[in-house]
Amino acid sequence: MSDAIRRDLCPLPDLLAHARFDLMVDAALFGPSARSKVERHGMLWQDGGGGWLQVGLLAGDRAVMLGADCDRSRSVAADAVDLLTGLPDWVADAARTRDDGQGEDWLGFVLWWEGGAWWSIEHPVDDGASQIPLLQPFTEAVQSEAVEEAVNVAALDHLREDDPREEQLVDPEAVRRLVAAGSAVDERLLLDALIFEELHLAHAVAVARAAGMIYPACTALEAGGMADGTER
């Protein structure tokens, strides 16, 4: 493992908070048909354009993260890059047994969390991990932008003529309360931030609470098959 390098990416706790928030907002918009989902030992996030990320938790404050950025993961098309070579055994086991619904040829990066940092094997091309939105800092600006985008999408479906909500702006304080609630969110907090009562608020609450119940796998092999088939 001499080629392992430390990666300057969003810490695991922040990633999980960001993913929970993103999955919750996605669930409010799209209900059970949302692309991303909570899994038994982690989460699967998809951007709808081919980009994806799956993170699985392991005992001992460890995690394995797999994914690809459809535009920037040069490692996907690089014949000379074998993403599974040189990995710690426990990381390779989780990667080989993954259950992410992606083709074997659509893997752009494999990273692991250990000792309070993200690590990967160094490759000659950009793996695109640093471009995945969930791995960016989870700032108030990012949170507000996500909610504003969701409200704009909801408006396309639910605004009617002379609807007073047309003039309603996203309340930054409501977004802060929503983020602060974490997995203890309720429908009132969601409605305050997302404005449209027609959204799948109950389903979004269920997703947020399921995200708060993720627990580490005992082994890497168990973590690799993270999906449990449960509809969230």
Side-chain angles (χ1 to χ4, degrees):
M1 206 178 63
S2 58
D3 293 330
I5 57 172
R6 183 167 178 158
R7 304 292 294 270
D8 184 19
L9 299 170
C10 179
L12 178 61
D14 292 350
L15 165 62
L16 295 176
H18 194 168
R20 180 182 61 233
F21 185 79
D22 195 89
L23 267 63
M24 176 182 66
V25 172
D26 212 33
L29 285 175
F30 304 111
S33 65
R35 297 178 298 267
S36 304
K37 61 182 178 179
V38 177
E39 300 176 322
R40 187 167 56 242
H41 303 302
M43 303 178 190
L44 173 64
W45 170 87
Q46 302 181 75
D47 67 4
W52 64 281
L53 180 148
Q54 185 182 40
V55 59
L57 307 183
L58 283 142
D61 192 27
R62 298 179 301 165
V64 175
M65 180 168 61
L66 317 170
D69 181 285
C70 61
D71 296 318
R72 300 178 180 88
S73 291
R74 305 303 179 195
S75 45
V76 171
D79 294 336
V81 174
D82 182 352
L83 294 172
L84 302 185
T85 296
L87 296 171
D89 290 343
W90 61 274
V91 178
D93 286 343
R96 290 192 181 99
T97 57
R98 73 187 195 275
D99 182 15
D100 49 49
Q102 307 295 329
E104 288 296 320
D105 58 346
W106 192 238
L107 179 63
F109 53 81
V110 178
L111 292 90
W112 66 95
W113 176 264
E114 188 176 29
W118 287 111
W119 303 86
S120 71
I121 298 299
E122 187 170 19
H123 296 293
V125 295
D126 184 5
D127 64 11
S130 63
Q131 303 301 318
I132 296 290
L134 290 188
L135 294 175
Q136 309 304 315
F138 189 41
T139 62
E140 284 196 5
V142 168
Q143 298 156 11
S144 294
E145 183 179 346
V147 171
E148 288 169 3
E149 182 177 338
V151 168
N152 289 336
V153 171
L156 293 175
D157 291 334
H158 303 299
L159 270 185
R160 301 292 181 261
E161 188 174 353
D162 297 326
D163 193 322
R165 295 175 298 184
E166 185 174 7
E167 304 300 325
Q168 191 170 346
L169 300 176
V170 170
D171 179 1
E173 191 56 43
V175 176
R176 293 189 192 99
R177 291 195 298 269
L178 184 62
V179 174
S183 59
V185 68
D186 58 33
E187 291 185 41
R188 182 73 251 176
L189 288 171
L190 277 163
L191 182 58
D192 287 348
L194 295 175
I195 299 174
F196 288 89
E197 62 186 13
E198 296 93 337
L199 296 176
H200 303 271
L201 302 180
H203 181 68
V205 168
V207 167
R209 293 183 178 172
M213 297 172 67
I214 294 168
Y215 61 94
C218 295
T219 67
L221 292 175
E222 183 184 356
M226 285 176 273
D228 61 5
T230 302
E231 291 294 335
R232 302 294 188 187

